[in-house]
Amino acid sequence: MIAEQYGTLEAFHPARIDLGLGRALGGPREVTDRIRSPHDRAATPFDDQIRELLELFDEQIEDRVTAVPAEGNRPEIWLLGSSAYTARVAGALGLPFAAAHHLQPRNTIAATHVYRQAFQPSTLCPAPRTMISVAVIAAESDERAQWLGAAARSGDSCYAA
C-alpha cells in the first residue's frame, strides 16, 4: 500500500514528494506494544522491510510482485529514527537519515554519528544526508506559546522552558 500510494503521488507530483519511514508507532512503548498484534511484534526486521519497499519502486527488478504506480516513481525516501539502530540501517542502505530529536533529544548527536560511520553510498544517496526533526510551537505571543506547550512539557523534557 505504501509503494502504491507514494508511487501515485510521485507520478502526479514528480520530485515534490518525500516518504519518511520509521519504526515507531508514536507514543509510549507500553501503549504501542498493546496496539500491535503479536504477529506485528515478531514481523520482518525493519531493514528487510525497507529493502522490500525499495524493490517495489525499482523498474529493473523482474519476477516479483509489482506495485504498478510505484514502479519508476520512487519519492525521496528518508529513515526517521531516534536510535543508533535506525541510524545504522539508514547508513547501511545508503538512505538519508532524519534524526528524531523531538522524540529523544539526548540521542540526536550519537545517532547522527552512527549514521555517518555506517553510511554506504548508493544510487539513491551518494553522500550522507541528515535532517534534524524538532518540535516547534508557534503562536502570536510567548505567553500563548507557553500555554500551548504546557501539555507537552515535563521536568526533564526538551520542551522545558
Side-chain angles (χ1 to χ4, degrees), residues 22 44 55 61 67 99 118 120 123 126 128:
T44 308
E55 286 180 5
I61 298 176
Q120 298 295 314
T123 56

Side-chain angles (χ1 to χ4, degrees), residues 22-40:
R23 296 184 305 144
L25 289 176
R29 182 166 188 87
E30 59 273 7
V31 174
T32 59
D33 280 349
R34 288 188 178 131
I35 293 171
R36 290 180 172 166
S37 72
H39 172 47
D40 289 340

Side-chain angles (χ1 to χ4, degrees), residues 128-148:
R129 293 181 59 208
T130 307
M131 176 182 351
I132 308 296
S133 172
V134 297
V136 175
I137 297 173
E140 56 275 358
S141 69
D142 287 348
E143 293 77 25
R144 180 71 174 156
Q146 291 293 330
W147 183 83
L148 290 170

Side-chain angles (χ1 to χ4, degrees), residues 46 79 85-98 115 118-120:
F46 182 63
L79 292 194
Y85 174 79
T86 304
R88 196 172 292 109
V89 170
L93 295 176
L95 293 171
F97 176 64
Y115 168 69
F119 188 80
Q120 298 295 314

